[in-house]
Amino acid sequence: MNQLDALKQLTTVVADTGDFNQIAAFSPRDATTNPSLILKAVQKPDYAHLLQDAVSKYRSQGLDETMNRLLVSFGCEILKHIPGRVSTEVDARLSFDTEATVTRARRIIELYQGEGVHIDRVLIKIASTWEGIQAAARLEREGIHTNLTLLFSFAQAVACGQAKVQLISPFVGRIYDWYKKSAGAGWDEAANAGANDPGVKSVRAIYNFYKKHGIATEVMGASFRNVGQITALAGCDLLTISPDLLAQLAASEAALPQALDADAARAMDIPFVQYDEAGFRFALNEDAMATEKLAEGIRAFVADTIKLEGLMS
C-alpha cells in the first residue's frame, strides 16, 4: 500500500488546488481553493474559458459579481470530480468586515444553489480574524458551513471552536516558514522535522484540545512544505495537500503510523480555554508569528484577487 492510500485510512484527504483536471488522479474526498490557486489556474489554457465566460456574461454587473461567478464556476467543475465538499473563499478585503463577509457568503451560496449544488457541498472560506470568526458563527446558524483559513494560533482555533464553525485550516507550512526565517543560520532542520516541526506541533495542540473538550469543529491541516509534515499529522480529521505532495505520497510505500488519535487526546490533561473579543485580540497580539502571518496572508490573497480582477477588465 502506498502512503497516500495508507493516509486515506486514517485521515480525509483533500486536494489543495484550483486545477480540477489534476484532482481525479488522487481521488480526494474534498477540495479547497483560494484566490492564488484560482489566479494560477485561469492562466492555463484548460481553464481560460471559465474566466472568459464569467467576464462576457457578468462584467456589466460589476467586478464583485463577476468574481463570484468565476469562483462558483470553478467550484462546480471541481465538484464533478469529488464526492465531498469544495471550499470557496470570500474576498480577503472583507476580512475585517463581518456584515460584508456574511453578505458575500450568502451570495456565493445562492449562486451554487442556482447551479443545483446542495448547500452541504460548499464550505465558505473566511480569514480567521475576530470579525471573520463572528461572521462564520452567524453563517453556521443559518446552515451555511464555513472553513476558517489563515489560522496560525491556538487563540484563533479556540475562538473558532466557540463559534461552532464547521472546519478550520491551520497553516502548517507557513508556521514552519516563520520559525525557520526567524532562526536564520541557527535553524536545525533535522531537529525541527516531523513531530518537532513547529507547524505540526501547532496543529497537534489544536487537535488534542478539540478532542479533549468535545469540540465538533473539524481540523484540516493545510499549507504543507514537505511530506514529513503530512505524515506527522496522520490521523488528523482532514489534510489538504497540493498535487505535487499527493504524487510524492502515492509514490512512496514507506510505513505510515497514526500520529494523532482522538481517544488518546481525550485522556490528556488539557485545560479548557475560551476568549472574549479583548482576550482574543490580546492573545493574538502576544503571538508574533500568528500576527505577522495572518496579516501577510490577507495581503497576499488581496494582491492575487486584484490581479484576477485585472484579468477581467
Side-chain angles (χ1 to χ4, degrees):
M1 182 184 298
N2 65 49
Q3 282 193 319
L4 180 56
D5 289 337
L7 183 63
K8 288 178 180 178
Q9 294 189 344
L10 300 170
T11 292
T12 296
V13 171
V14 180
D16 191 16
T17 181
D19 188 336
F20 46 79
N21 288 334
Q22 289 186 310
I23 291 173
F26 303 107
S27 301
R29 191 194 74 180
D30 294 352
T32 58
T33 64
N34 62 46
S36 303
L37 294 173
I38 298 296
L39 176 65
K40 184 178 179 181
V42 297
Q43 295 177 79
K44 296 181 178 181
D46 287 352
Y47 307 110
H49 70 281
L50 293 176
L51 177 65
Q52 293 162 3
D53 288 349
V55 171
S56 64
K57 293 178 182 177
Y58 306 109
R59 183 164 54 186
S60 63
Q61 298 180 34
L63 276 176
D64 287 349
E65 182 65 6
T66 308
M67 183 68 74
N68 289 339
R69 296 283 185 166
L70 176 64
L71 297 177
V72 170
S73 292
F74 263 93
C76 288
E77 290 296 330
I78 287 169
L79 287 170
K80 295 176 183 177
H81 298 271
I82 59 172
R85 306 167 296 187
V86 66
S87 291
T88 297
E89 192 143 352
V90 167
D91 191 328
R93 288 171 292 193
L94 306 180
S95 296
F96 303 97
D97 189 331
T98 297
E99 289 297 331
T101 296
V102 169
T103 298
R104 186 67 61 89
R106 288 172 178 158
R107 179 57 179 158
I108 290 170
I109 290 296
E110 183 179 42
L111 292 176
Y112 270 114
Q113 290 180 317
E115 296 295 327
V117 175
H118 194 278
I119 194 170
D120 290 342
R121 296 200 70 197
V122 180
L123 296 175
I124 298 295
K125 285 182 81 173
I126 300 169
S128 299
T129 58
W130 178 259
E131 294 81 3
I133 295 168
Q134 303 320 301
R138 285 175 53 184
L139 292 166
E140 292 285 355
R141 290 194 292 270
E142 296 176 11
I144 297 173
H145 298 306
T146 56
N147 170 355
L148 274 289
T149 187
L150 295 176
L151 192 147
F152 303 98
S153 74
F154 186 72
Q156 288 172 294
V158 169
C160 287
Q162 288 174 220
K164 295 182 170 57
V165 308
Q166 181 69 32
L167 180 148
I168 61 169
S169 296
F171 275 31
V172 177
R174 296 194 196 186
I175 294 174
Y176 161 88
D177 292 344
W178 189 92
Y179 280 100
K180 183 175 182 177
K181 182 179 179 181
S182 180
W187 179 258
D188 185 334
E189 189 68 38
N192 290 285
N196 293 321
D197 183 295
V200 170
K201 290 195 289 187
S202 176
V203 175
R204 186 169 65 234
I206 292 166
Y207 175 91
N208 288 338
F209 175 79
Y210 277 11
K211 303 311 175 189
K212 170 66 177 181
H213 297 290
I215 295 168
T217 297
E218 301 169 53
V219 180
M220 181 172 73
S223 173
F224 294 105
R225 299 292 179 258
N226 55 66
V227 167
Q229 292 173 336
I230 297 168
T231 57
L233 291 172
C236 194
D237 297 330
L238 308 95
L239 297 174
T240 183
I241 306 169
S242 68
D244 288 348
L245 292 175
L246 287 170
Q248 289 182 41
L249 289 165
S252 172
E253 295 187 359
L256 183 69
Q258 183 169 349
L260 300 186
D261 181 83
D263 290 336
R266 283 188 277 270
M268 294 177 182
D269 182 15
I270 303 173
F272 183 70
V273 180
Q274 58 185 355
Y275 292 108
D276 59 11
E277 181 178 353
F280 171 87
R281 293 192 185 280
F282 184 76
L284 185 60
N285 186 73
E286 288 293 282
D287 188 332
M289 175 276 297
T291 298
E292 292 174 22
K293 297 308 285 187
L294 173 60
E296 177 185 272
I298 291 172
R299 287 194 298 267
F301 283 161
V302 168
D304 284 341
T305 299
I306 291 170
K307 290 176 185 176
L308 258 178
E309 289 179 343
L311 297 177
M312 294 176 179
S313 58

